Amino acid sequence: MDEYTSSELVSIFAMQGFAGISLFSVLLLMALGLAIIFGQMGVINMAHGEFMAVGAYTTYFISFFAETYLPSFIPYYFIFAIVMAFFVAAILGYMAEFALIRHLYKRPLDTLLATWGLSLIMQQSFRTLFGAREVSPALPEWLLGSYQPTDTIDIPLNGMFVLALTAIVTLGVFYLLYKSSWGLRVRATTQNRVMSGAVGINTKKVDRYTFALGCGIAGIAGAAFTTIASTGPTTGTLYIVDTFMVVVFGGAASLLGTIVSAFSIAQAQSILEFFISGSMAKVYTLCALVLILMFKPEGLFASKVRR
Amino acid sequence: MKYSRYRTGPNSLRRFFVKGLMALPATIFLSASCFAASPSTAEINTTGLAITDDTVTVGILHSLTGTMAISETGAQEAEKLAIKQINDMGGILGRKIEIIQEDGASDWPTFAEKSRKLLVKDKVAAVFGAWTSASRKAVLPVFEKENGLLYYPTFYEGLEQSKNVIYTGQEATQQILDGLNWVAKEKKAKTFYLIGSDYIWPRTSMKIARKHIENVLGGRVVGEEYKPLGNTQFGSVINKIRLKKPDVIYAAVVGGSNVAWFKQLKAAGITSKKQTLLTISVTEDEVLGIGGENLEGFYSIMKYFQSLENENNKAFVAAFKEMWGKDSVIGDVTQAAYLGPWLWKAAVEKAGSFDVDKIVAASEAGDIELKTAPEGYVKLHKNHHLWSVARVGKWNKDGQATVVYESKLLEPDPFPAGYQ
């Protein structure tokens, strides 16, 4: 590599470091919602990716609306769209819990099948409502392009945006789960459902809101990913594998585990990708995951929950 | 187009001449035609196909649901348009074309099963369909066993030639070689970075591209990279490209990945101002999803662009928009799919029969040509592929391309010597 000046190499390393952090924020944002649903409630939600797509389509719909009727609103719509994506996905999640999931809490394997069916229904609905073609919302100017601290460094603005959003959402989830009284009830229900009921916690209500919160966060993730990729009816299936990988590797029921797992997978992947080809990088990352899970089947941070 | 000696009704005759006059170049060939009585069904159909005295049934087999529906919708729309236009001209050998449509559902075994249904149960005279190489490979044994006839519209990796398939898209060498020559000459490109999705078509295409770059152009491939289908993270690859500083990025990324790839290139500050990029996987259909602003100034090699300036294409685009809505866009494969029914019509009329063997024999003579093709002029080679022109288009912000280079008419060569 002697044809490069040292400042160029420094720039590449800086940008590569950011690529890793950017992938970390994407994985974490995807996994947070599922970490709550799978980790806290033990529900294997195969439709998680579709709730992300709901968020993405909400963003697209609002951008389309803004473009057609309120062009002056375009620079600001994205923030509004993220909030809306949260609520739309959360309401849908709330309804799904009410109609489907709550009947299956005692049969965890059946939730897998039921939510997979739900994901197919949702995919077909997207196709009917928005068409089979992939769509992209028009992004506001401030999300396009890159930030250039020096001549040779380009940091993508959308990457920084996703990073900031992930930080906010993660802090929010931490606060809700560990500092609020609602979080206390969630944790109590996770640890001992019968006892929680006995001390007066409405465990059914807790379940419903937890599920809705998880879906809402998936919606936020979906909205954020419209800045990175496009949205189609089957977009959700692209994300679901990575999402489960992060949550399972981190150890269910551990939020900290999810963060550490997202970080290590992202770094391994992006560093390997830099030196070998993309497909092989994924193979090595997955092999490492399988090996570690063989020795630590509970994931990185084993839960200390008595079941 | 060559027309044989069969009469169609007086009405269709008049329409025929009106159309013929509009498409002026074609009239030269019409002078030889004359019209006699509609041939009897027994005479033109000796193998028991679904043909009556006034209809002939064909199949359309594309994915209407699933991942591939995005891409295949345009192709089946174009085929229906061509069939409608042929029917308006009086059909083929005095018979109107009727369509049985099946859904391949983006699932390769379903494609095979549906093609068997079309050939065995419905006895269709020809099938227009398949899109991905995987679906073509899945239906191929069925068509060969049942002796069916398939018109396949997609540009693909080559290395195939079946008696029962007519390939209306370009094979790999037609699409790749001239584009590389152009970029080497025009942009003085010496170093290339190859990137594609990880499956058969990009890998075969890149293999051909690499041989051409290294052996013919005397250039250097500084990186070759494949990303899993559906991958949406290109950060590390983009940094690698930055490190290697190639003169040209040569890309064959497909599907949803394609959108992520171009969005992230732009976000990383790699735009056409600083970097030449040539792709073989972006048509007008893809641009809808990617967004013209992310592609502005980059190049695609295709045989057709919607913006082509010729009379055939103007008429085609207008007819397509009239039938399928004014917002529809037409990509390379859509246009190639449109050629299918027309090539079939020409071959049937030349053979004077709907029998597959006779149509294939007529096609293999190598003199069936379409002067009315939207892409300009095409001729069917005896190896079942089309002679066609390769074009380099430069993408504009509005999602349309400006053609900056046109090759001469290229001979199809599905088994290129020295490139395997």
Side-chain angles (χ1 to χ4, degrees):
Chain A
M1 291 201 197
D2 43 14
E3 358 167 355
Y4 302 98
T5 64
S6 57
S7 79
E8 272 179 326
L9 282 180
V10 170
S11 319
I12 295 280
F13 281 124
M15 286 187 285
Q16 184 56 23
F18 185 80
I21 292 173
S22 172
L23 183 60
F24 158 60
S25 64
V26 167
L27 286 180
L28 181 57
L29 196 54
M30 284 200 270
L32 271 178
L34 194 73
I36 294 171
I37 293 172
F38 181 54
Q40 306 295 324
M41 304 169 68
V43 171
I44 303 171
N45 182 15
M46 295 300 283
H48 191 74
E50 275 62 41
F51 282 103
M52 284 190 216
V54 165
Y57 273 119
T58 309
T59 311
Y60 170 71
F61 185 74
I62 293 173
S63 108
F64 180 76
F65 190 80
E67 261 185 303
T68 323
Y69 300 103
L70 280 171
S72 59
F73 183 57
I74 287 188
Y76 318 103
Y77 91 89
F78 204 75
I79 305 292
F80 174 69
I82 287 175
V83 177
M84 283 305 290
F86 174 81
F87 282 108
V88 172
I91 289 167
L92 279 177
Y94 185 93
M95 287 172 1
E97 204 277 348
F98 181 77
L100 191 68
I101 316 277
R102 69 183 172 127
H103 304 293
L104 300 168
Y105 279 126
K106 297 217 169 74
R107 297 182 282 164
L109 280 180
D110 293 355
T111 57
L112 185 131
L113 203 58
T115 51
W116 188 57
L118 179 67
S119 82
L120 294 181
I121 294 171
M122 287 172 79
Q123 282 175 24
Q124 199 55 45
S125 321
F126 298 146
R127 201 170 281 124
T128 315
L129 284 174
F130 297 97
R133 283 179 198 272
E134 308 220 334
V135 295
S136 296
L139 292 179
E141 280 296 317
W142 53 270
L143 270 174
L144 296 172
S146 57
Y147 164 66
Q148 286 184 294
T150 73
D151 278 352
T152 46
I153 297 184
D154 287 279
I155 303 287
L157 286 176
N158 55 7
M160 297 212 298
F161 177 76
V162 174
L163 184 62
L165 187 68
T166 308
I168 293 170
V169 174
T170 312
L171 289 176
V173 169
F174 256 103
Y175 176 81
L176 268 179
L177 276 184
Y178 293 101
K179 296 286 174 207
S180 73
S181 60
W182 177 78
L184 191 65
R185 287 199 287 274
V186 173
R187 283 179 294 138
T189 311
T190 310
Q191 290 186 357
N192 194 325
R193 182 173 294 272
V194 181
M195 199 60 208
S196 308
V199 296
I201 295 174
N202 184 345
T203 57
K204 284 187 177 156
K205 201 170 149 192
V206 166
D207 284 336
R208 201 156 304 151
Y209 281 103
T210 312
F211 194 82
L213 177 71
C215 291
I217 292 172
I220 295 183
F225 294 158
T226 57
T227 65
I228 299 172
S230 64
T231 309
T234 50
T235 299
T237 54
L238 292 180
Y239 296 125
I240 192 79
V241 175
D242 281 344
T243 311
F244 267 102
M245 186 169 83
V246 169
V247 174
V248 170
F249 184 58
S254 165
L255 216 49
L256 191 65
T258 306
I259 296 171
V260 174
S261 134
F263 186 77
S264 37
I265 292 175
Q267 290 303 331
Q269 175 100 17
S270 81
I271 292 171
L272 279 173
E273 253 177 38
F274 192 71
F275 292 105
I276 54 178
S277 83
S279 291
M280 285 317 287
K282 189 121 203 178
V283 170
Y284 287 132
T285 314
L286 287 174
C287 282
L289 275 185
V290 170
L291 265 181
I292 294 174
L293 282 178
M294 274 163 73
F295 292 107
K296 282 182 79 76
E298 292 281 298
L300 284 182
F301 287 64
S303 66
K304 298 182 188 74
V305 178
R306 265 180 247 162
R307 300 229 180 235
Chain B
M1 269 179 262
K2 291 202 172 169
Y3 290 97
S4 309
R5 300 153 185 272
Y6 299 110
R7 184 169 65 188
T8 44
N11 255 337
S12 56
L13 188 70
R14 192 173 64 230
R15 246 179 281 152
F16 188 74
F17 274 117
V18 172
K19 290 241 168 175
L21 283 171
M22 289 195 313
L24 207 57
T27 51
I28 301 161
F29 283 82
L30 294 179
S31 54
S33 27
C34 92
F35 300 90
S38 206
S40 74
T41 305
E43 191 184 326
I44 58 166
N45 175 25
T46 60
T47 54
L49 299 170
I51 297 164
T52 67
D53 286 345
D54 39 38
T55 63
V56 50
T57 308
V58 300
I60 287 185
L61 177 57
H62 284 290
S63 300
L64 303 175
T65 55
T67 331
M68 291 311 300
I70 307 159
S71 310
E72 299 195 44
T73 307
Q76 56 97 17
E77 286 174 350
E79 284 153 4
K80 285 181 186 162
L81 171 66
I83 288 170
K84 178 176 166 284
Q85 289 176 335
I86 292 172
N87 281 341
D88 286 348
M89 286 172 66
I92 302 181
L93 300 187
R95 285 155 178 85
K96 299 268 175 175
I97 305 170
E98 290 185 345
I99 301 170
I100 295 180
Q101 183 160 19
E102 289 294 342
D103 178 10
S106 309
D107 179 55
W108 322 139
T110 307
F111 265 95
E113 186 189 310
K114 295 291 184 187
S115 62
R116 188 170 296 116
K117 184 236 168 203
L118 284 171
L119 294 176
V120 176
K121 181 164 167 283
D122 299 327
K123 305 245 180 259
V124 296
V127 176
F128 306 97
W131 204 98
T132 60
S133 286
S135 64
R136 187 191 70 251
K137 292 280 185 205
V139 302
L140 192 62
V142 181
F143 276 87
E144 289 184 341
K145 178 165 174 283
E146 308 296 341
N147 200 22
L149 188 58
L150 172 71
Y151 284 82
Y152 173 71
T154 320
F155 50 86
Y156 82 114
E157 66 277 3
L159 307 180
E160 190 183 290
Q161 180 187 327
S162 164
K163 177 202 155 195
N164 302 84
V165 184
I166 303 287
Y167 307 81
T168 66
Q170 289 180 307
E171 46 78 27
T173 64
Q174 284 176 305
Q175 190 188 13
I176 292 168
L177 305 186
D178 255 56
L180 286 173
N181 292 343
W182 173 82
V183 80
K185 186 159 162 275
E186 253 347 92
K187 304 278 168 187
K188 311 265 178 297
K190 282 279 159 216
T191 54
F192 293 77
Y193 200 103
L194 314 180
I195 174 165
S197 291
D198 203 356
Y199 73 103
I200 179 168
W201 176 70
R203 277 191 180 261
T204 316
S205 302
M206 290 307 180
K207 204 167 148 191
I208 292 173
R210 180 185 270 271
K211 296 246 172 173
H212 193 69
I213 290 165
E214 286 172 350
N215 301 342
V216 180
L217 300 176
R220 206 154 50 86
V221 175
V222 293
E224 186 171 348
E225 183 86 32
Y226 300 97
K227 298 289 273 179
L229 276 169
N231 173 71
T232 53
Q233 293 297 326
F234 288 90
S236 300
V237 179
I238 289 171
N239 284 330
K240 258 201 248 184
I241 292 173
R242 246 196 268 260
L243 192 65
K244 302 280 191 186
K245 295 186 203 146
D247 294 335
V248 176
I249 301 175
Y250 192 72
V253 181
V254 305
S257 282
N258 215 351
V259 181
W261 156 243
F262 283 106
K263 270 192 181 175
Q264 286 169 37
L265 269 185
K266 166 127 191 203
I270 299 184
T271 58
S272 56
K273 285 195 196 80
K274 301 183 201 162
Q275 176 71 53
T276 306
L277 182 147
L278 191 61
T279 172
I280 52 173
S281 60
V282 174
T283 73
E284 284 81 353
D285 286 305
E286 279 74 30
V287 178
L288 268 191
I290 297 169
E293 72 278 6
N294 294 320
L295 272 169
E296 201 180 353
F298 289 148
Y299 299 94
S300 268
I301 323 170
M302 291 288 152
K303 68 169 175 171
Y304 172 84
F305 291 98
Q306 188 181 334
S307 61
L308 284 189
E309 295 276 343
N310 68 57
E311 293 307 315
N312 295 344
N313 188 44
K314 276 181 198 156
F316 168 60
V317 172
F320 194 92
K321 291 197 167 187
E322 193 194 323
M323 188 160 172
W324 301 108
K326 64 177 170 52
D327 293 332
S328 37
V329 295
I330 303 163
D332 182 272
V333 184
T334 306
Q335 191 270 157
Y338 176 76
L339 302 180
W342 289 104
L343 287 168
W344 179 62
K345 174 180 190 288
V348 169
E349 283 170 350
K350 182 168 173 248
S353 167
F354 284 105
D355 291 353
V356 170
D357 288 340
K358 289 183 187 152
I359 296 174
V360 170
S363 300
E364 281 177 353
D367 60 355
I368 287 180
E369 50 187 10
L370 286 184
K371 300 215 155 192
T372 51
E375 64 176 273
Y377 168 87
V378 293
K379 194 165 96 174
L380 191 53
H381 193 280
K382 59 180 188 297
N383 65 19
H384 290 223
H385 293 68
L386 289 178
W387 289 80
S388 62
V389 168
R391 295 181 168 94
V392 176
K394 184 178 187 180
W395 292 106
N396 303 319
K397 210 169 180 170
D398 63 0
Q400 291 293 326
T402 311
V403 176
V404 294
Y405 166 77
E406 251 183 47
S407 73
K408 63 180 191 343
L409 201 62
L410 301 172
E411 180 172 6
D413 184 10
F415 298 96
Y419 284 100
Q420 285 168 40

